Amino acid sequence: MKKLLSLLLVGILTFSILAGCSSPDAGNKNSEKTEDSATENSSAEEKKQEEKVEEKEEQKEEKEDAENDKSDSGSDTIVFVEREIHSTYDPCIYPGSNHYVKNGAGELLFRIDVDGSIYPSLAKSGEQVDDHTWMIELRPEAKFWSGEEVTAEKVVGSLERSREKNTKATSTLEGLTFNPVEEFKFEVKTDKANDPVLLRLAHYELCILNPDLAYDSLETMDMTGMYKIVEFTPKEKIVLVRNEDYYGKKPKIKNVVHEEISDQETRSLSVLSGHADIAMQIPNESIPQLEAADNVKLYSIPAANTQTIYLNLNKPYLSDVKVRQALAWGLDREELILVGTEGKSFVTTNWLSSSPKYKDIRNAVYEKYDFDKASSLLDEAGYTLNSNNMREKDGEVLKIQLRTWGQDKALGEAIQSQWSKLGIDCEVIYGDYSLIETARENNEWDASIEAWSTYGEEHSMLATQYMPEGTGNHGGYNSPEVISMLDELLTASNEEEVMEIAKAISIKAAEDAPGIYICPRVETTAVNAKLKGFIEHFRNTENGINADMEFTD
């Protein structure tokens, strides 16, 4: 299969050689050029064109060498498969940055280690100057693919571009002001005292790019990563080659092919057949077959995110807190975990508790499955059982339309089964995430399943979920008590106080149930057994391509 990919890449990566030279400017009638100056200009132009030819020849030879390497053994190309890849060239259009960081094209200023600690990546260092000021120093040796320096002005421009265009980055950058102070150093001013700026800058949607380009075609993309993109078919394939001018540790493997395979079974078979070397978002039903295969190694990793059933509080039947609480008490989370994750996850009853930092409140609210309590709450809300054992109020049956996508088809069906036992008419609609977005825009939804990251700066994450204008507050939750606590969180003076307030917010929101919290989404990744160096990490962005990966016999 990789030899077939090689044949495709040969046609894609071949450049035409520029030839010929321009004559000196003869358009200005007032200009009189001597024979010597004309000859000098002509010689300079010829030299410039010769250099271009040489450069193109070198690029062509490098790519042909890479193709030969791939054709010989396949050991110089990683085929990396996901459920979806980016639909546009722009890293600032979600989820572009995330994909480009995973495939080695983009870089974050800071990264998160497996123990949760923060370390510099594209940045050289970050230091707190006072309660409201941080200084970020950049690596002077770093370059964009174009050869331009990664200056403070460029980085600040990149961050501001993300603030403007990336919906997932807006809350992360809220309250931060960036100012270049030296060529390779910029200042961060914070509204909040002792704001964890480095953690914010490690957000997966903040890869650094050259902000002066349009990012509307392959030719207008310019990032800093260890791999360069040489072909990009949105929603199909990204082809990358090693950046030989990369400032840091160069990857051992020369080429990456990043593919979208939306069909779950086909994605799993791509590893079994030897086509793919890394396949993410493996469905649970494929796990037994892959576990039995000698040529595949599986990694099942509970991520720091929370599988949440978001509820549309604009619907009259879901505006009643008792109905929402009944839906929460009426879910057997242990059973859902068995169905939805093959038993590889753990219960979280409130949003924040999937983060390793907040594991002590995982069972703080809905500590067990309680069918009787759920039934009682529905009775109190006026939804009683009719002759058909369906919950009915004022002649209308309680009907909930649950939208699912990705790997959550089986999970949605298990939720449907459990709510049906309560007498709720639950319909599951499975499809692309874009259908969920469209339904939300048109207010044509009742409930939908989604998982947002819970590892990061507490105020921005919780505000995203629970402030009325929060981009993750899909259902329109508006609690004066939670808003007040979020204001307190902004002025918390130390880490202990931050955690205390954050826990209180998460628990209060769970009690109000604008969403129902189940468990961390388990990311199962299948890897070619001969590919070494894959890193297990609780953050999905870190589970991609790294420089130490190599094929062994």
Side-chain angles (χ1 to χ4, degrees):
M1 297 297 293
K2 292 184 182 175
K3 291 185 178 181
L4 289 175
L5 287 171
S6 298
L7 292 173
L8 288 172
L9 286 172
V10 168
I12 295 161
L13 303 180
T14 303
F15 282 91
S16 61
I17 300 174
L18 299 176
C21 59
S22 303
S23 60
D25 182 12
N28 187 347
K29 294 181 180 179
N30 297 323
S31 171
E32 295 183 1
K33 296 183 180 292
T34 65
E35 185 176 342
D36 288 344
S37 64
T39 302
E40 182 179 340
N41 287 340
S42 179
S43 298
E45 191 66 29
E46 287 177 357
K47 183 177 181 182
K48 184 177 179 181
Q49 292 297 332
E50 288 173 0
E51 289 175 350
K52 285 184 179 180
V53 170
E54 290 176 2
E55 182 181 353
K56 296 295 184 182
E57 285 288 0
E58 288 176 1
Q59 292 176 348
K60 182 179 178 181
E61 288 175 6
E62 288 176 359
K63 290 168 185 175
E64 287 177 348
D65 287 343
E67 297 300 332
N68 291 334
D69 289 336
K70 288 186 288 180
S71 297
D72 290 340
S73 65
S75 62
D76 278 309
T77 300
I78 296 175
V79 178
F80 176 33
V81 169
E82 291 195 83
R83 177 178 56 235
E84 61 177 352
I85 61 172
H86 203 22
S87 59
T88 74
Y89 298 95
D90 196 336
C92 292
I93 305 301
Y94 178 77
S97 173
N98 176 28
H99 288 154
Y100 295 140
V101 173
K102 279 195 285 190
N103 66 26
E107 291 186 288
L108 306 174
L109 290 168
F110 297 89
R111 300 290 290 261
I112 308 298
D113 213 336
V114 290
D115 62 359
S117 60
I118 304 166
Y119 65 94
S121 183
L122 182 58
K124 184 178 181 180
S125 65
E127 293 185 5
Q128 187 170 7
V129 178
D130 57 44
D131 288 353
H132 291 274
T133 309
W134 286 75
M135 198 64 68
I136 310 300
E137 185 176 358
L138 302 172
R139 301 180 188 275
E141 68 274 20
K143 299 286 190 296
F144 290 105
W145 297 337
S146 62
E148 289 191 55
E149 292 182 325
V150 183
T151 62
E153 184 177 355
K154 294 277 191 184
V155 170
V156 169
S158 176
L159 293 171
E160 292 298 346
R161 192 176 188 279
S162 294
R163 191 201 301 269
E164 176 188 354
K165 292 179 172 288
N166 195 323
T167 56
K168 290 280 188 178
T170 303
S171 61
T172 299
L173 297 177
E174 185 177 357
L176 302 184
T177 304
F178 306 107
N179 298 296
V181 294
E182 295 179 13
E183 187 175 12
F184 300 108
K185 189 178 290 187
F186 68 95
E187 176 187 77
V188 185
K189 287 289 188 180
T190 68
D191 292 347
K192 176 185 173 184
N194 300 309
D195 199 317
V197 167
L198 305 190
L199 182 59
R200 285 181 181 251
L201 296 180
H203 192 274
Y204 54 87
E205 283 300 317
L206 292 179
C207 82
I208 300 302
L209 50 81
N210 186 337
D212 300 332
L213 300 181
Y215 295 87
D216 55 5
S217 68
L218 183 61
E219 291 71 28
T220 61
M221 297 184 75
D222 197 15
M223 290 181 279
T224 67
M226 59 186 177
Y227 287 101
K228 293 181 180 180
I229 298 175
V230 295
E231 179 199 347
F232 185 11
T233 306
K235 297 293 290 177
E236 290 185 19
K237 180 172 63 175
I238 304 174
V239 181
L240 308 97
V241 298
R242 184 165 58 201
N243 179 6
E244 299 298 345
D245 297 321
Y246 184 58
Y247 68 93
K249 184 177 183 180
K250 293 182 179 62
K252 295 179 180 179
I253 295 175
K254 292 182 180 180
N255 313 290
V256 174
V257 177
H258 193 180
E259 293 182 351
E260 174 175 313
I261 300 181
S262 57
D263 181 75
Q264 298 194 125
E265 184 178 358
T266 305
R267 195 163 58 250
S268 300
L269 290 174
S270 70
V271 185
L272 279 172
S273 68
H275 168 68
D277 299 303
I278 303 174
M280 288 188 161
Q281 298 97 29
I282 295 296
N284 292 329
E285 51 266 32
S286 296
I287 289 176
Q289 184 182 17
L290 290 168
E291 284 179 330
D294 293 334
N295 65 327
V296 177
K297 186 171 183 180
L298 282 185
Y299 299 87
S300 292
I301 310 159
N305 60 33
T306 300
Q307 286 278 69
T308 301
I309 307 170
Y310 288 90
L311 302 174
N312 186 356
L313 276 60
N314 295 308
K315 299 291 186 178
Y317 39 93
L318 293 173
S319 65
D320 190 330
V321 67
K322 289 184 178 179
V323 172
R324 301 196 303 270
Q325 289 172 339
L327 295 174
W329 284 109
L331 289 182
D332 184 344
R333 290 169 175 78
E334 296 287 357
E335 181 180 293
L336 295 180
I337 288 170
L338 285 174
V339 173
T341 75
E342 292 290 311
K344 297 181 184 298
S345 192
F346 50 82
V347 169
T348 52
T349 64
N350 57 92
W351 185 76
L352 197 57
S353 62
S354 64
S355 170
K357 190 174 177 181
Y358 290 95
K359 61 184 180 181
D360 60 316
I361 59 168
R362 285 175 182 166
N363 294 301
V365 189
Y366 305 96
E367 69 275 4
K368 63 178 182 178
Y369 167 54
D370 198 327
F371 178 87
D372 292 337
K373 189 165 188 174
S375 298
S376 178
L377 283 165
L378 288 171
D379 288 338
E380 292 175 23
Y383 287 95
T384 55
L385 291 172
N386 61 20
S387 58
N388 295 319
N389 280 325
M390 302 300 293
R391 293 284 171 177
E392 183 180 301
K393 180 180 181 179
D394 299 330
E396 291 191 11
V397 170
L398 179 56
K399 183 174 181 178
I400 295 176
Q401 195 178 75
L402 174 64
R403 292 181 177 271
T404 68
W405 67 291
Q407 297 166 249
D408 297 333
K409 187 174 187 294
L411 177 62
E413 291 170 350
I415 293 167
Q416 176 189 43
S417 175
Q418 293 188 12
W419 280 349
S420 295
K421 293 176 184 177
L422 287 168
I424 297 168
D425 182 2
C426 180
E427 177 190 8
V428 176
I429 298 177
Y430 178 80
D432 292 338
Y433 185 70
S434 60
L435 299 177
I436 294 178
E437 291 181 306
T438 301
R440 286 176 182 157
E441 290 172 3
N442 299 326
N443 197 35
E444 296 175 350
W445 69 289
D446 298 320
S448 63
I449 301 177
E450 190 171 336
W452 285 59
S453 174
T454 57
Y455 183 86
E457 190 274 321
E458 284 85 350
H459 181 270
S460 63
M461 291 191 304
L462 290 165
T464 296
Q465 294 293 312
Y466 302 126
M467 287 294 283
E469 67 277 10
T471 52
N473 185 1
H474 301 303
Y477 178 59
N478 190 343
S479 165
E481 185 177 345
V482 168
I483 292 172
S484 177
M485 285 191 285
L486 281 165
D487 290 340
E488 291 179 33
L489 190 58
L490 270 176
T491 59
S493 59
N494 55 59
E495 182 68 10
E496 184 178 339
E497 188 178 357
V498 166
M499 291 186 66
E500 181 181 348
I501 297 171
K503 289 178 183 180
I505 292 171
S506 192
I507 290 170
K508 168 60 178 170
E511 291 170 347
D512 290 344
I516 300 171
Y517 312 102
I518 303 171
C519 65
R521 173 175 282 154
V522 171
E523 294 287 350
T524 298
T525 300
V527 179
N528 181 343
K530 293 185 177 181
L531 179 62
K532 307 303 179 184
F534 180 82
I535 297 174
E536 292 186 83
H537 202 289
F538 63 84
R539 195 165 82 148
N540 178 268
T541 312
E542 314 290 347
N543 291 325
I545 306 297
N546 67 72
D548 292 322
M549 285 183 167
E550 62 181 333
F551 289 98
T552 59
D553 294 330

